[in-house]
């Protein structure tokens, strides 16, 4: 997915006080590329990712996703676009604790009534190296394994855009590096666009966008 951000402004209003977070941001990300987003805490990295993922809306400016000015669409059109095109991985995995790895990964497809949900979920768990952990619940997995399950769940719908917000922030260095290497590999293999927020200079690749306050 190609991303074009034009003069993006985002303010939050708290008790009628304006908190200006993004002030006229421009950014173009070519389809199929992988971009690391860096910058100090509180600068607006998560805010930017949420807006690009259509989970939050801009105060003003334009976000074009594959040329479509996404926030001019209706809420249900935006939700439909998100569900079919965008995958998310967060710092904390947000897996459902009472369901197994397999059930967590097949959930997004089951909600669409996809009869291949189980098979696709197995395929993705295999791909992230968890063939032996299908029936483990999140509490029965290591941090790195939980994040692999979250990655499989984000990819099971074959998104054209993967948004990862500090996906390794909760992991040790070696495990974090393994997750990022896996994301890079999948980016090359699948051609999906990847935007990844990271604090760790060792995880930043060749393409980097630095947010500053
Ligand atoms: P980062 O991910 O770079 O650490 P965030 O995007 O989470 O930063 O937050 C950017 C700024 O916006 C912070 O100063 C934060 O306090 C503020 N902020 C984030 N969400 C809200 C909100 N819902 N209401 C008010 N302020 C917010
Ligand atoms: Mg953040």
């Amino acid at each position: 997915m190609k991303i074009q951000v034009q003069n993006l402004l985002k303010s939050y209003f708290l008790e009628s006080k304006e908190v200006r977070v993004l002030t006229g941001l421009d950014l173009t990300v070519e389809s199929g590329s992988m971009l690391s987003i860096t910058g100090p805490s509180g600068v607006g990295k998560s805010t930017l990712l949420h807006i690009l993922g259509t989970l939050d809306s801009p105060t003003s400016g334009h976000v074009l996703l594959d040329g479509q000015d996404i926030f001019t669409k209706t809420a249900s059109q935006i939700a439909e676009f998100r569900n079919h095109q965008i995958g998310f991985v967060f710092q904390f995995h947000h897996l459902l604790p009472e369901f197994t790895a397999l059930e967590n990964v097949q959930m997004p497809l089951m909600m669409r009534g996809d009869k291949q949900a189980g098979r696709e979920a197995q395929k993705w768990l295999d791909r992230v190296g968890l063939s032996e952990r299908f029936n483990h619940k999140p509490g029965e997995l290591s941090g790195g394994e939980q994040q692999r399950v979250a990655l499989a769940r984000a990819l099971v719908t074959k998104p054209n855009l993967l948004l990862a917000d500090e996906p390794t922030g909760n992991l040790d260095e070696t495990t974090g590096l393994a997750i990022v290497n896996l994301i890079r590999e999948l980016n090359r293999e699948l051609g999906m666009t990847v935007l990844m927020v990271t604090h760790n200079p060792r995880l930043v690749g060749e393409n980097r966008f630095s947010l500053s306050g």
Side-chain angles (χ1 to χ4, degrees), residues 115-126:
K115 294 200 173 59
Q116 303 296 320
R119 190 194 302 197
E120 283 295 309
Q122 288 188 19
K123 190 184 93 185
W124 281 104
L125 282 170
D126 285 340

Side-chain angles (χ1 to χ4, degrees), residues 43-63:
V43 80
K45 302 180 298 296
S46 295
T47 301
L48 175 61
L49 236 61
H50 287 152
I51 291 173
L52 295 179
T54 74
L55 295 172
D56 198 355
S57 56
T59 304
S60 66
H62 295 278
V63 175

